[in-house]
Amino acid sequence: MIEFSVSLSSIEDVRQFVNAASYCPCEVDVCSGRYVIDAKSIMGLFSLDLSKPVRVEVHGTDEEGNQFRQSVAAFETQNKP
């Protein structure tokens, strides 16, 4: 499992993030507090408080996880998950 934090500050950021997650062959979760949302669900992401960075968990091989992480690198924050 690969973990990192992202900041999604606009509707377009969320759309691009969900699009990238949808093409990822593995499971991707977004965690905020005690909530865990499927990253492929745009409605699910909008139910979270996106004013703060959220944690992303990629459940798959390291290669798949690293490819997804590279595809959303523009949103990654320097905060530890």
Side-chain angles (χ1 to χ4, degrees), residues 41-57:
S41 168
I42 196 163
M43 293 301 290
L45 282 179
F46 281 125
S47 72
L48 298 176
D49 177 11
L50 296 176
S51 65
K52 299 178 270 186
V54 291
R55 189 179 73 222
V56 177
E57 295 179 352

Side-chain angles (χ1 to χ4, degrees), residues 13-78:
D13 289 353
V14 174
R15 187 191 68 75
Q16 289 177 6
F17 182 84
V18 169
N19 192 36
S22 295
Y23 285 107
C24 183
C26 50
E27 294 295 320
V28 182
D29 294 326
V30 176
C31 308
S32 178
R34 62 187 175 122
Y35 299 103
V36 178
I37 303 294
D38 182 356
K40 298 176 184 183
S41 168
I42 196 163
M43 293 301 290
L45 282 179
F46 281 125
S47 72
L48 298 176
D49 177 11
L50 296 176
S51 65
K52 299 178 270 186
V54 291
R55 189 179 73 222
V56 177
E57 295 179 352
V58 183
H59 306 278
T61 65
D62 285 344
E63 182 180 338
E64 292 170 335
N66 287 326
Q67 284 179 340
F68 175 71
R69 189 174 188 170
Q70 289 174 354
S71 70
V72 296
F75 309 118
E76 191 168 353
T77 64
Q78 300 304 318

